[in-house]
PDB file of all heavy atoms in Angstrom:
ATOM      1  N   LEU A 349     -53.267 -26.451  50.169  1.00 97.00           N
ATOM      2  CA  LEU A 349     -52.579 -26.589  48.893  1.00 97.00           C
ATOM      3  C   LEU A 349     -52.613 -28.057  48.492  1.00 97.00           C
ATOM      4  O   LEU A 349     -52.191 -28.925  49.243  1.00 97.00           O
ATOM      5  CB  LEU A 349     -51.123 -26.119  49.021  1.00 97.00           C
ATOM      6  CG  LEU A 349     -50.258 -26.283  47.777  1.00 97.00           C
ATOM      7  CD1 LEU A 349     -50.738 -25.369  46.650  1.00 97.00           C
ATOM      8  CD2 LEU A 349     -48.801 -26.003  48.106  1.00 97.00           C
ATOM      9  N   CYS A 387     -50.484 -22.608  41.905  1.00 98.00           N
ATOM     10  CA  CYS A 387     -50.986 -23.311  43.091  1.00 98.00           C
ATOM     11  C   CYS A 387     -52.420 -23.788  42.882  1.00 98.00           C
ATOM     12  O   CYS A 387     -53.312 -22.991  42.578  1.00 98.00           O
ATOM     13  CB  CYS A 387     -50.917 -22.391  44.308  1.00 98.00           C
ATOM     14  SG  CYS A 387     -49.225 -21.887  44.703  1.00 98.00           S
ATOM     15  N   LEU A 389     -55.607 -25.502  44.744  1.00 97.00           N
ATOM     16  CA  LEU A 389     -56.131 -25.609  46.103  1.00 97.00           C
ATOM     17  C   LEU A 389     -57.273 -26.616  46.173  1.00 97.00           C
ATOM     18  O   LEU A 389     -57.831 -27.003  45.152  1.00 97.00           O
ATOM     19  CB  LEU A 389     -56.587 -24.237  46.590  1.00 97.00           C
ATOM     20  CG  LEU A 389     -55.558 -23.113  46.430  1.00 97.00           C
ATOM     21  CD1 LEU A 389     -56.138 -21.783  46.889  1.00 97.00           C
ATOM     22  CD2 LEU A 389     -54.272 -23.431  47.168  1.00 97.00           C
ATOM     23  N   ALA A 396     -55.126 -16.243  48.517  1.00 97.00           N
ATOM     24  CA  ALA A 396     -53.814 -16.792  48.845  1.00 97.00           C
ATOM     25  C   ALA A 396     -52.763 -15.705  48.714  1.00 97.00           C
ATOM     26  O   ALA A 396     -52.849 -14.846  47.828  1.00 97.00           O
ATOM     27  CB  ALA A 396     -53.491 -17.950  47.902  1.00 97.00           C
ATOM     28  N   GLU A 397     -51.785 -15.755  49.619  1.00 97.00           N
ATOM     29  CA  GLU A 397     -50.660 -14.845  49.507  1.00 97.00           C
ATOM     30  C   GLU A 397     -49.386 -15.552  49.948  1.00 97.00           C
ATOM     31  O   GLU A 397     -49.419 -16.450  50.791  1.00 97.00           O
ATOM     32  CB  GLU A 397     -50.884 -13.554  50.305  1.00 97.00           C
ATOM     33  CG  GLU A 397     -51.011 -13.703  51.789  1.00 97.00           C
ATOM     34  CD  GLU A 397     -51.255 -12.364  52.489  1.00 97.00           C
ATOM     35  OE1 GLU A 397     -51.078 -11.295  51.877  1.00 97.00           O
ATOM     36  OE2 GLU A 397     -51.608 -12.413  53.670  1.00 97.00           O
ATOM     37  N   LEU A 398     -48.294 -15.157  49.331  1.00 97.00           N
ATOM     38  CA  LEU A 398     -46.983 -15.667  49.705  1.00 97.00           C
ATOM     39  C   LEU A 398     -46.347 -14.657  50.643  1.00 97.00           C
ATOM     40  O   LEU A 398     -46.265 -13.468  50.320  1.00 97.00           O
ATOM     41  CB  LEU A 398     -46.116 -15.869  48.460  1.00 97.00           C
ATOM     42  CG  LEU A 398     -46.530 -17.025  47.567  1.00 97.00           C
ATOM     43  CD1 LEU A 398     -45.780 -16.984  46.245  1.00 97.00           C
ATOM     44  CD2 LEU A 398     -46.290 -18.350  48.275  1.00 97.00           C
ATOM     45  N   VAL A 399     -45.925 -15.144  51.813  1.00 97.00           N
ATOM     46  CA  VAL A 399     -45.324 -14.280  52.817  1.00 97.00           C
ATOM     47  C   VAL A 399     -43.847 -14.651  52.933  1.00 97.00           C
ATOM     48  O   VAL A 399     -43.509 -15.770  53.317  1.00 97.00           O
ATOM     49  CB  VAL A 399     -46.027 -14.425  54.188  1.00 97.00           C
ATOM     50  CG1 VAL A 399     -45.395 -13.505  55.214  1.00 97.00           C
ATOM     51  CG2 VAL A 399     -47.519 -14.148  54.059  1.00 97.00           C
ATOM     52  N   LEU A 408     -51.659 -13.934  45.316  1.00 97.00           N
ATOM     53  CA  LEU A 408     -51.785 -14.784  44.131  1.00 97.00           C
ATOM     54  C   LEU A 408     -53.061 -14.389  43.400  1.00 97.00           C
ATOM     55  O   LEU A 408     -54.049 -14.010  44.036  1.00 97.00           O
ATOM     56  CB  LEU A 408     -51.830 -16.262  44.522  1.00 97.00           C
ATOM     57  CG  LEU A 408     -50.468 -16.915  44.767  1.00 97.00           C
ATOM     58  CD1 LEU A 408     -49.895 -16.516  46.105  1.00 97.00           C
ATOM     59  CD2 LEU A 408     -50.574 -18.407  44.676  1.00 97.00           C
ATOM     60  N   MET A 430     -40.839 -18.671  51.083  1.00 97.00           N
ATOM     61  CA  MET A 430     -42.123 -18.001  51.295  1.00 97.00           C
ATOM     62  C   MET A 430     -43.156 -19.002  51.787  1.00 97.00           C
ATOM     63  O   MET A 430     -43.219 -20.123  51.286  1.00 97.00           O
ATOM     64  CB  MET A 430     -42.596 -17.356  49.993  1.00 97.00           C
ATOM     65  CG  MET A 430     -41.656 -16.298  49.461  1.00 97.00           C
ATOM     66  SD  MET A 430     -42.089 -15.772  47.798  1.00 97.00           S
ATOM     67  CE  MET A 430     -41.374 -17.092  46.852  1.00 97.00           C
ATOM     68  N   LYS A 431     -43.949 -18.594  52.753  1.00 98.00           N
ATOM     69  CA  LYS A 431     -45.047 -19.427  53.232  1.00 98.00           C
ATOM     70  C   LYS A 431     -46.298 -19.068  52.443  1.00 98.00           C
ATOM     71  O   LYS A 431     -46.578 -17.897  52.194  1.00 98.00           O
ATOM     72  CB  LYS A 431     -45.284 -19.204  54.717  1.00 98.00           C
ATOM     73  CG  LYS A 431     -44.169 -19.749  55.575  1.00 98.00           C
ATOM     74  CD  LYS A 431     -44.689 -20.136  56.933  1.00 98.00           C
ATOM     75  CE  LYS A 431     -43.588 -20.665  57.805  1.00 98.00           C
ATOM     76  NZ  LYS A 431     -43.269 -22.042  57.597  1.00 98.00           N
ATOM     77  N   LEU A 432     -47.064 -20.104  52.064  1.00 98.00           N
ATOM     78  CA  LEU A 432     -48.318 -19.897  51.346  1.00 98.00           C
ATOM     79  C   LEU A 432     -49.447 -19.842  52.365  1.00 98.00           C
ATOM     80  O   LEU A 432     -49.819 -20.858  52.948  1.00 98.00           O
ATOM     81  CB  LEU A 432     -48.557 -21.028  50.346  1.00 98.00           C
ATOM     82  CG  LEU A 432     -49.850 -20.945  49.548  1.00 98.00           C
ATOM     83  CD1 LEU A 432     -49.849 -19.720  48.633  1.00 98.00           C
ATOM     84  CD2 LEU A 432     -50.075 -22.207  48.747  1.00 98.00           C
ATOM     85  N   VAL A 433     -49.978 -18.647  52.596  1.00 97.00           N
ATOM     86  CA  VAL A 433     -51.046 -18.439  53.573  1.00 97.00           C
ATOM     87  C   VAL A 433     -52.372 -18.361  52.832  1.00 97.00           C
ATOM     88  O   VAL A 433     -52.542 -17.543  51.924  1.00 97.00           O
ATOM     89  CB  VAL A 433     -50.798 -17.153  54.401  1.00 97.00           C
ATOM     90  CG1 VAL A 433     -51.939 -16.919  55.376  1.00 97.00           C
ATOM     91  CG2 VAL A 433     -49.469 -17.243  55.134  1.00 97.00           C
ATOM     92  N   LEU A 434     -53.312 -19.229  53.221  1.00 97.00           N
ATOM     93  CA  LEU A 434     -54.615 -19.315  52.564  1.00 97.00           C
ATOM     94  C   LEU A 434     -55.708 -18.874  53.521  1.00 97.00           C
ATOM     95  O   LEU A 434     -55.625 -19.126  54.728  1.00 97.00           O
ATOM     96  CB  LEU A 434     -54.870 -20.759  52.118  1.00 97.00           C
ATOM     97  CG  LEU A 434     -53.800 -21.391  51.243  1.00 97.00           C
ATOM     98  CD1 LEU A 434     -54.108 -22.863  51.004  1.00 97.00           C
ATOM     99  CD2 LEU A 434     -53.674 -20.651  49.928  1.00 97.00           C
ATOM    100  N   ASN A 442     -55.355 -21.827  56.472  1.00 96.00           N
ATOM    101  CA  ASN A 442     -54.756 -23.157  56.413  1.00 96.00           C
ATOM    102  C   ASN A 442     -53.957 -23.391  57.689  1.00 96.00           C
ATOM    103  O   ASN A 442     -53.301 -22.493  58.197  1.00 96.00           O
ATOM    104  CB  ASN A 442     -53.910 -23.357  55.156  1.00 96.00           C
ATOM    105  CG  ASN A 442     -52.859 -22.283  54.929  1.00 96.00           C
ATOM    106  OD1 ASN A 442     -52.976 -21.165  55.404  1.00 96.00           O
ATOM    107  ND2 ASN A 442     -51.832 -22.636  54.184  1.00 96.00           N
ATOM    108  N   TYR A 444     -51.393 -25.532  58.352  1.00 94.00           N
ATOM    109  CA  TYR A 444     -49.953 -25.714  58.204  1.00 94.00           C
ATOM    110  C   TYR A 444     -49.510 -25.128  56.863  1.00 94.00           C
ATOM    111  O   TYR A 444     -49.430 -25.858  55.875  1.00 94.00           O
ATOM    112  CB  TYR A 444     -49.589 -27.198  58.294  1.00 94.00           C
ATOM    113  CG  TYR A 444     -50.148 -27.856  59.522  1.00 94.00           C
ATOM    114  CD1 TYR A 444     -51.261 -28.686  59.455  1.00 94.00           C
ATOM    115  CD2 TYR A 444     -49.582 -27.620  60.768  1.00 94.00           C
ATOM    116  CE1 TYR A 444     -51.793 -29.272  60.594  1.00 94.00           C
ATOM    117  CE2 TYR A 444     -50.103 -28.201  61.916  1.00 94.00           C
ATOM    118  CZ  TYR A 444     -51.210 -29.025  61.809  1.00 94.00           C
ATOM    119  OH  TYR A 444     -51.732 -29.599  62.945  1.00 94.00           O
ATOM    120  N   PRO A 445     -49.228 -23.815  56.815  1.00 97.00           N
ATOM    121  CA  PRO A 445     -48.853 -23.203  55.545  1.00 97.00           C
ATOM    122  C   PRO A 445     -47.575 -23.830  54.974  1.00 97.00           C
ATOM    123  O   PRO A 445     -46.556 -23.881  55.661  1.00 97.00           O
ATOM    124  CB  PRO A 445     -48.603 -21.732  55.901  1.00 97.00           C
ATOM    125  CG  PRO A 445     -49.309 -21.519  57.198  1.00 97.00           C
ATOM    126  CD  PRO A 445     -49.293 -22.832  57.904  1.00 97.00           C
ATOM    127  N   PRO A 446     -47.630 -24.336  53.743  1.00 97.00           N
ATOM    128  CA  PRO A 446     -46.436 -24.917  53.132  1.00 97.00           C
ATOM    129  C   PRO A 446     -45.437 -23.826  52.767  1.00 97.00           C
ATOM    130  O   PRO A 446     -45.800 -22.662  52.590  1.00 97.00           O
ATOM    131  CB  PRO A 446     -46.971 -25.616  51.888  1.00 97.00           C
ATOM    132  CG  PRO A 446     -48.223 -24.888  51.562  1.00 97.00           C
ATOM    133  CD  PRO A 446     -48.794 -24.415  52.865  1.00 97.00           C
ATOM    134  N   GLU A 447     -44.184 -24.207  52.640  1.00 97.00           N
ATOM    135  CA  GLU A 447     -43.132 -23.267  52.287  1.00 97.00           C
ATOM    136  C   GLU A 447     -42.705 -23.515  50.846  1.00 97.00           C
ATOM    137  O   GLU A 447     -42.422 -24.653  50.459  1.00 97.00           O
ATOM    138  CB  GLU A 447     -41.950 -23.460  53.238  1.00 97.00           C
ATOM    139  CG  GLU A 447     -40.958 -22.340  53.209  1.00 97.00           C
ATOM    140  CD  GLU A 447     -39.960 -22.449  54.343  1.00 97.00           C
ATOM    141  OE1 GLU A 447     -39.307 -23.501  54.470  1.00 97.00           O
ATOM    142  OE2 GLU A 447     -39.828 -21.468  55.089  1.00 97.00           O
ATOM    143  N   LEU A 448     -42.685 -22.451  50.041  1.00 97.00           N
ATOM    144  CA  LEU A 448     -42.217 -22.521  48.659  1.00 97.00           C
ATOM    145  C   LEU A 448     -40.828 -21.896  48.631  1.00 97.00           C
ATOM    146  O   LEU A 448     -40.635 -20.775  49.105  1.00 97.00           O
ATOM    147  CB  LEU A 448     -43.177 -21.774  47.725  1.00 97.00           C
ATOM    148  CG  LEU A 448     -44.632 -22.251  47.739  1.00 97.00           C
ATOM    149  CD1 LEU A 448     -45.464 -21.436  46.761  1.00 97.00           C
ATOM    150  CD2 LEU A 448     -44.745 -23.724  47.436  1.00 97.00           C
TER     151      LEU A 448
END
Side-chain angles (χ1 to χ4, degrees):
L349 177 67
C387 298
L389 309 177
E397 63 181 346
L398 289 170
V399 181
L408 277 76
M430 299 170 280
K431 290 208 181 278
L432 179 65
V433 178
L434 306 174
N442 53 336
Y444 308 104
E447 195 169 55
L448 303 181

